[in-house]
Amino acid sequence: MQIKRNNRLKAKLVYIILCFLGLSSGIDAQIQPPVDSIGSQLDSIVPTLPVGDTVFIGVDSLQILSDSLGDNTSKIQLSKDSLDAPVQYTATDSMIYDIADKKIHLYGEGVVNYTTISVKADHIIFDWETNIVTAEGMPDSLGRLSGFPEFKDGDQEFKAERMRYNFKTRKGIVYDVTTQQGDMIVQGTKSKFVSGDPGDTTSNDIVYSNDAIFTTCTHPEPHFGIRSGKQKVIPNKLVVVGPSNLEIMGVPTPLWLPFGFFPISKTRSTGLLFPRDYEYSDQWGFGLRDIGWFFPLGEHFNLSLKANIYVKGTWGLTAESQYRKRYKYNGRFSIGYDVRRSEALDGMINREKSFKLQLSHNQDPSAHPLNSFGGTINFQLNGYQARVYNDAQSVLNNQLSSNFSFSRNWRDKPISMSLSFNHSQNTNTNNITVNFPNFQFQTQTLYPFRRKERVGKEKWYENITMRYTGEAKSTFTGPDSTFFSQRTLDEARYGARHKANAGTSIKLLKYFNVNPNVNYEEVWYFKTIRRDFIDDPKIEIDTVNGIVTRDTLTLGQINNQLIQGFQSFRTFSAGVSMNTQIFGTMLFKKGWLRGVRHVIKPSVSLGYTPSYLSEDLGWYRTVQDTLDPTQFDRYSIFDGGIYGSPSSSGKQMALSYSINNIFEAKYFSKKDSSEKNLKLFDNIVISGNYNFAADSLKWSRINISGTTRFFKGMTTLSFRTVFDPYVNVFNKNSSRRTSKLRWKEEGKLLQFIETNVRLNTSVTVSKIRALFQGKEEEIIENLDEEEENQRTRKRPEETDFLSLFEQFRIAHTFVLDFEKTTGGRDTFKLSTHSLSLSGSVQLTPNWNINMGNIGYDFVSKAITYPYLGFSRDLHCWQMGLSWAPTRGTYSFYIQVKPGTLGFLRVPYDRNNADAIRAFQ
């Protein structure tokens, strides 16, 4: 009776455990909350089990009928200590249920899941009484430990050698743990972690570690890191460390920190921007570059405030912003101000100030169907980029420009409007030109006589077109040192212009296109010029030495005076042009040359322009010459105007001609047994005109120009030659035409004036392959995007020796001038002959040689700003050197790759201020 009672109690206990586990069949199981009592149904459901303390369930032998109770669970009472959700677990090898100790052992790729928490290991022990999971690895067939624990809670996960975790308290202890937060990897000998409550948005996961090292190195044994005795990690937010020091290759360094805060947030948040560089300069002292603060301004904007600070007074501030709104716009903004201190050999202190403003704004095409707004602005004062940066692009680029505009079209209306800002700047001459505002209103091509509904054949007059353009703008010019001054405003030029034209196109005799046209232009100005002769020679007074100098070579001076007030002029022109095409072809049946084609595109036009020199119009005036009292110089009161002045050539009735010649050939290719086309000359153009209304010099000079390409576009040859039918008198710097025809004077048709020949070659590996291997060359449409791709492009696969130079470019420019000089002597002048190399050569996956620019100018016999360097990939570190010998600057560094610890950098360099001092 006692044995039967014991077996019955044992059966009840087993059934409770099995109900607790929720086993059905196989190896998968589900642990339900424990129960306090079970009904009398146990007597008929649970079989009699032998007396013992341990139950072993194999993978193929576990068959428990857990569904015998059906849906009758109303009598089951949950324990107050039970978990609030099922615990699911699996294993590939076996499970052992230790009933006496109330534990479950999972062997072979064991997995335990509870809500958002997952534990994986080759050996997992679950204590259902304490809700504690213990996980560790197991020896493999070679006796090596494998299958180490992996813990995951939501998006947080780590690996360890051993771990314990309490599902109820959500706390655990891990040994030899490795976890990653963003790019930060934390390795600790012992860590305690507390999981936040998923239902409480204010709670956070927290990891406390002892004797831990955090690093961005992904190697199992980190090459560097910051080791500290105590650490606190709040995932996706912050790493806080106590006393710590930098460790390299397992060796502690003297670099010590009393404490540290390192943000690891995946989201944008306000925080410190670590310096990009640490420098020492003899001129400036110790300094930090690009130290600052980051501000996220809403959902779509970022702002970074950065500073360059040196202890001897050199400093600079930069504000940078990036913004983006999907399907609307994107762009970036940068404004900088820099003050550079320099000390001359005599001890004098100079402070040179420079400024930059850069803006790029792009509107998404889908943002608005009718309006468009965007462009770029690149404005600098006092050579900002050449002072602050030393790379070849910043130093050699002396042309800056901007173009920013707003435009609007009207739906179902043939009109459009635009408002723009543009500027150009030469950093060598320091001259700035700003055009703002530029307003333009124009119509599309209008057909005023075209029928809305076409019936029958189109009439000739239905192709008559009309178009109107109205514009107004202001132009400000001046040196950058005084550009923002009252003088620039006083010398500003502004005006408005109206242009209207009409024309049509007529097909004549099937092969000729006849295009008559009429043009009208009206220009408004609000300032004009007056020039008056003053009978008072120029006198210069030297107030220092008390010397008075009087100009005895001139009779007086010309006084230029600006007259305020509205003035306008109007111009008119009419003309007719005719063009056609003539084809000439010669075919060959034998040989590699199969044919030659010559395309001639002649064009003849007759144009009329009235004279605007009449005194009645008042647009042109005369003023006495300062050297000859009998001579008077003509000038226009609109000289220097933003839209120019009326033509000073007088009445024009000119017949203009242009003959464009294109030469092509067809040859037989043995490579693929097909005929291919070859363009011999892209164009050879002959042009000139004859003016019927001129009193003399009716014939213009004749211009001949042409272009051809060699080696599949690698080399471009262009030339321009000028001939004159009149006799010319040559002096040192120019030539003067006479009214004598050379045919009548010397029996020759034309006189040679000058020739210019230009040869440009650009060689890349892709072009060499296209030339020798028949591969097509990649067409580059966006140069800026291609340069960025080259910087980020992975090393190409080495298929041949040329693969090393895949990102390399060689450019050669040759310009030859041939002209007449004094006495009619023919003179050759080599005006430009330069060779430049740029790009990079990746010798190995880790070694890279950079050539920002290196070249040689054969005319000046000098190297053109070489900028060389190399870089070495050191896994989690990188090393590099850049050198500009012409400027005297260099930079050597070893630093951690960009990331959370990217501020760890060892620099050694010399800036341009120290280089200038060294050269003095």
Side-chain angles (χ1 to χ4, degrees):
M1 192 70 175
Q2 183 65 30
I3 295 176
K4 183 177 181 180
R5 183 179 304 162
N6 290 339
N7 288 338
R8 185 174 181 181
L9 291 176
K10 182 68 70 176
K12 290 182 178 181
L13 181 59
V14 171
Y15 181 76
I16 292 173
I17 297 301
L18 295 180
C19 290
F20 176 69
L21 298 176
L23 298 177
S24 57
S25 64
I27 200 64
D28 294 332
Q30 177 173 307
I31 301 177
Q32 299 289 351
V35 297
D36 287 338
S37 61
I38 300 295
S40 59
Q41 302 170 4
L42 293 176
D43 294 336
S44 60
I45 296 176
V46 181
T48 302
L49 298 176
V51 181
D53 295 331
T54 301
V55 178
F56 174 82
I57 305 178
V59 175
D60 299 325
S61 59
L62 183 61
Q63 298 291 336
I64 305 297
L65 301 176
S66 59
D67 56 346
S68 302
L69 288 176
D71 297 329
N72 187 16
T73 59
S74 58
K75 297 182 180 181
I76 299 178
Q77 299 180 3
L78 299 180
S79 170
K80 296 181 180 180
D81 296 329
S82 65
L83 298 174
D84 55 2
V87 177
Q88 299 176 343
Y89 59 93
T90 62
T92 60
D93 184 76
S94 60
M95 293 187 294
I96 295 179
Y97 296 84
D98 187 344
I99 299 177
D101 294 335
K102 301 181 180 179
K103 295 180 180 179
I104 303 174
H105 296 258
L106 306 179
Y107 292 95
E109 299 180 7
V111 179
V112 177
N113 295 322
Y114 171 68
T115 61
T116 61
I117 300 173
S118 174
V119 179
K120 299 179 181 180
D122 270 5
H123 182 202
I124 299 178
I125 304 174
F126 177 69
D127 189 326
W128 67 72
E129 183 176 33
T130 61
N131 297 320
I132 294 177
V133 169
T134 303
E136 59 187 358
M138 291 286 290
D140 58 13
S141 58
L142 299 178
R144 296 174 301 188
L145 286 177
S146 63
F148 292 109
E150 298 180 13
F151 177 87
K152 184 176 182 180
D153 184 2
D155 59 350
Q156 304 302 320
E157 56 183 297
F158 57 78
K159 298 180 180 180
E161 289 193 3
R162 290 186 304 120
M163 67 162 293
R164 297 179 64 216
Y165 185 78
N166 191 316
F167 285 139
K168 188 66 178 179
T169 62
R170 304 182 69 87
K171 297 179 181 180
I173 296 178
V174 292
Y175 302 89
D176 298 322
V177 63
T178 299
T179 182
Q180 183 168 354
Q181 303 293 332
D183 66 338
M184 186 80 75
I185 299 173
V186 181
Q187 293 186 359
T189 56
K190 181 180 179 181
S191 299
K192 175 183 178 181
F193 64 95
V194 179
S195 300
D197 186 357
D200 186 359
T201 58
T202 61
S203 63
N204 297 303
D205 296 344
I206 303 177
V207 180
Y208 301 91
S209 300
N210 293 328
D211 189 20
I213 182 172
F214 67 95
T215 178
T216 56
C217 180
T218 57
H219 195 272
E221 297 181 3
H223 299 136
F224 82 99
I226 298 178
R227 184 175 295 277
S228 61
K230 295 182 179 180
Q231 289 185 350
K232 178 180 178 180
V233 179
I234 303 178
N236 296 329
K237 288 191 176 182
L238 186 68
V239 175
V240 182
V241 300
S244 55
N245 74 302
L246 179 64
E247 189 176 282
I248 300 178
M249 301 300 292
V251 179
T253 67
L255 299 178
W256 179 82
L257 294 173
F259 59 90
F261 299 89
F262 301 93
I264 55 175
S265 175
K266 293 183 179 180
T267 59
R268 300 180 306 134
S269 61
T270 300
L272 177 69
L273 296 175
F274 283 96
R276 180 177 62 87
D277 207 348
Y278 316 92
E279 292 184 340
Y280 173 77
S281 167
D282 294 336
Q283 290 278 335
W284 305 336
F286 289 99
L288 302 176
R289 290 183 63 88
D290 291 342
I291 184 173
W293 201 265
F294 176 80
F295 301 91
L297 304 178
E299 183 179 355
H300 307 290
F301 290 82
N302 293 332
L303 175 63
S304 300
L305 297 180
K306 300 179 181 179
N308 301 328
I309 305 173
Y310 297 86
V311 296
K312 291 186 178 181
T314 294
W315 58 276
L317 295 176
T318 304
E320 298 177 350
S321 176
Q322 302 84 32
Y323 55 91
R324 176 182 294 273
K325 190 171 184 179
R326 194 175 184 184
Y327 305 125
K328 292 294 184 180
Y329 52 78
N330 66 83
R332 58 190 306 114
F333 171 82
S334 177
I335 184 171
Y337 182 77
D338 189 80
V339 178
R340 303 248 152 174
R341 175 190 179 276
S342 62
E343 182 178 353
L345 294 177
D346 58 2
M348 181 176 294
I349 303 298
N350 298 319
R351 298 185 184 276
E352 298 176 342
K353 303 174 182 178
S354 57
F355 170 82
K356 76 164 182 178
L357 173 63
Q358 295 176 330
L359 172 65
S360 175
H361 180 86
N362 301 297
Q363 178 179 303
D364 193 281
S366 61
H368 199 283
L370 302 176
N371 296 343
S372 177
F373 179 71
T376 60
I377 294 177
N378 186 7
F379 184 84
Q380 299 182 19
L381 294 178
N382 201 21
Y384 180 93
Q385 66 180 17
R387 292 181 183 276
V388 178
Y389 307 107
N390 293 315
D391 60 281
Q393 183 178 2
S394 299
V395 175
L396 298 179
N397 181 23
N398 55 18
Q399 295 291 335
L400 305 176
S401 61
S402 304
N403 194 351
F404 212 88
S405 64
F406 167 80
S407 62
R408 174 170 176 80
N409 297 315
W410 277 265
R411 184 178 285 111
D412 301 329
K413 294 182 180 179
I415 57 176
S416 62
M417 179 270 293
S418 66
L419 182 67
S420 65
F421 163 90
N422 60 72
H423 115 282
S424 61
Q425 183 178 353
N426 188 306
T427 58
N428 288 340
T429 62
N430 295 327
N431 289 329
I432 299 176
T433 300
V434 173
N435 297 314
F436 179 78
N438 295 343
F439 174 80
Q440 187 178 74
F441 175 84
Q442 63 181 7
T443 65
Q444 299 176 5
T445 302
L446 305 176
Y447 296 88
F449 305 109
R450 180 168 290 181
R451 291 167 290 179
K452 294 183 178 180
E453 296 182 1
R454 293 188 180 183
V455 179
K457 187 178 180 180
E458 186 179 65
K459 306 297 182 181
W460 67 269
Y461 55 81
E462 292 188 85
N463 286 326
I464 294 178
T465 63
M466 297 185 65
R467 190 166 186 172
Y468 166 80
T469 301
E471 56 182 318
K473 69 177 180 178
S474 300
T475 299
F476 305 88
T477 59
D480 61 1
S481 58
T482 61
F483 188 78
F484 296 99
S485 64
Q486 185 63 37
R487 180 180 176 181
T488 302
L489 295 176
D490 295 338
E491 296 179 352
R493 297 178 298 160
Y494 42 88
R497 178 170 63 181
H498 307 269
K499 297 174 66 176
N501 58 71
T504 188
S505 180
I506 303 173
K507 201 79 169 180
L508 185 65
L509 300 177
K510 191 177 180 179
Y511 298 106
F512 296 92
N513 296 316
V514 180
N515 304 293
N517 63 84
V518 178
N519 301 284
Y520 173 81
E521 181 177 313
E522 182 171 339
V523 176
W524 296 349
Y525 286 130
F526 301 92
K527 287 192 299 185
T528 53
I529 191 172
R530 299 293 186 272
R531 294 177 180 173
D532 300 316
F533 176 78
I534 301 176
D535 188 10
D536 185 10
K538 185 177 180 181
I539 298 176
E540 294 182 356
I541 302 176
D542 187 347
T543 58
V544 177
N545 300 315
I547 299 176
V548 179
T549 304
R550 180 184 178 89
D551 188 356
T552 59
L553 299 178
T554 60
L555 301 175
Q557 304 179 56
I558 300 298
N559 180 41
N560 295 321
Q561 183 180 3
L562 289 176
I563 305 300
Q564 301 289 338
F566 177 80
Q567 290 285 350
S568 64
F569 69 85
R570 287 153 290 281
T571 62
F572 168 82
S573 66
V576 59
S577 65
M578 183 175 64
N579 61 77
T580 187
Q581 295 189 59
I582 303 172
F583 297 89
T585 304
M586 183 180 294
L587 300 177
F588 307 97
K589 296 182 179 180
K590 297 181 179 181
W592 66 273
L593 183 61
R594 296 300 174 89
V596 177
R597 185 169 74 165
H598 180 198
V599 182
I600 306 174
K601 297 181 178 181
S603 176
V604 180
S605 63
L606 179 64
Y608 169 77
T609 302
S611 174
Y612 306 109
L613 302 178
S614 172
E615 294 184 359
D616 296 335
L617 295 174
W619 298 344
Y620 278 89
R621 298 189 178 190
T622 57
V623 61
Q624 179 183 323
D625 190 82
T626 58
L627 299 177
D628 188 353
T630 63
Q631 295 291 328
F632 288 84
D633 300 324
R634 181 185 289 117
Y635 75 94
S636 172
I637 65 173
F638 304 108
D639 282 348
I642 196 171
Y643 294 111
S645 55
S647 174
S648 62
S649 301
K651 185 179 179 180
Q652 297 282 318
M653 176 65 77
L655 178 67
S656 300
Y657 60 90
S658 173
I659 304 174
N660 187 6
N661 300 269
I662 301 174
F663 295 90
E664 299 174 320
K666 180 175 289 187
Y667 67 95
F668 180 79
S669 175
K670 294 183 179 180
K671 185 175 182 179
D672 53 7
S673 300
S674 63
E675 293 183 349
K676 296 186 177 181
N677 294 327
L678 174 66
K679 186 168 286 188
L680 302 178
F681 279 93
D682 294 351
N683 57 73
I684 297 179
V685 182
I686 305 172
S687 61
N689 66 74
Y690 180 84
N691 186 8
F692 295 97
D695 296 332
S696 61
L697 301 176
K698 295 178 180 293
W699 291 99
S700 71
R701 287 179 169 177
I702 300 174
N703 296 285
I704 303 176
S705 61
T707 302
T708 185
R709 305 173 192 275
F710 304 100
F711 312 120
K712 289 198 172 183
M714 280 198 300
T715 299
T716 300
L717 173 66
S718 60
F719 69 90
R720 177 179 175 272
T721 302
V722 179
F723 295 93
D724 200 326
Y726 295 98
V727 176
N728 284 254
V729 177
F730 295 93
N731 53 37
K732 184 176 182 180
N733 298 319
S734 62
S735 62
R736 180 177 59 85
R737 304 180 76 195
T738 68
S739 59
K740 300 176 181 179
L741 284 170
R742 195 166 189 242
W743 174 258
K744 294 182 178 181
E745 294 295 322
E746 303 176 10
K748 297 180 180 180
L749 185 62
L750 300 172
Q751 183 177 20
F752 171 78
I753 303 300
E754 64 180 4
T755 292
N756 175 272
V757 179
R758 176 179 291 270
L759 189 69
N760 291 324
T761 302
S762 178
V763 180
T764 62
V765 169
S766 59
K767 290 182 178 180
I768 293 176
R769 287 200 176 98
L771 178 64
F772 293 103
Q773 300 179 5
K775 295 182 178 179
E776 293 296 329
E777 177 195 356
E778 180 183 359
I779 299 176
I780 300 173
E781 297 180 352
N782 190 323
L783 292 179
D784 294 336
E785 182 178 343
E786 174 63 17
E787 291 177 0
E788 179 64 25
N789 291 338
Q790 286 189 358
R791 287 192 292 267
T792 59
R793 188 178 296 160
K794 294 183 179 179
R795 185 183 184 220
E797 181 182 356
E798 289 189 18
T799 57
D800 51 33
F801 176 74
L802 291 176
S803 300
L804 290 174
F805 304 92
E806 196 73 42
Q807 302 180 33
F808 204 74
R809 181 182 297 271
I810 303 175
H812 175 251
T813 302
F814 180 90
V815 179
L816 180 65
D817 294 324
F818 181 38
E819 58 187 12
K820 294 279 188 179
T821 58
T822 304
R825 296 173 53 189
D826 296 337
T827 303
F828 284 96
K829 183 176 67 174
L830 186 61
S831 59
T832 304
H833 187 199
S834 63
L835 179 69
S836 64
L837 298 86
S838 62
S840 62
V841 179
Q842 194 158 7
L843 300 177
T844 69
N846 296 326
W847 279 101
N848 192 62
I849 298 177
N850 303 306
M851 293 187 182
N853 179 78
I854 183 172
Y856 186 79
D857 191 330
F858 294 92
V859 176
S860 60
K861 298 181 180 179
I863 297 176
T864 56
Y865 197 82
Y867 190 78
L868 310 174
F870 75 86
S871 60
R872 175 72 164 92
D873 190 318
L874 301 172
H875 188 257
C876 50
W877 289 72
Q878 60 186 13
M879 175 180 65
L881 170 69
S882 60
W883 177 43
T886 304
R887 197 175 176 90
T889 63
Y890 56 81
S891 175
F892 175 79
Y893 65 87
I894 299 177
Q895 69 174 34
V896 174
K897 287 184 177 180
T900 304
L901 300 180
F903 62 90
L904 295 175
R905 175 185 173 99
V906 181
Y908 182 76
D909 50 26
R910 181 168 73 176
N911 55 45
N912 55 345
D914 292 337
I916 294 174
R917 180 67 179 271
F919 290 156
Q920 291 178 347

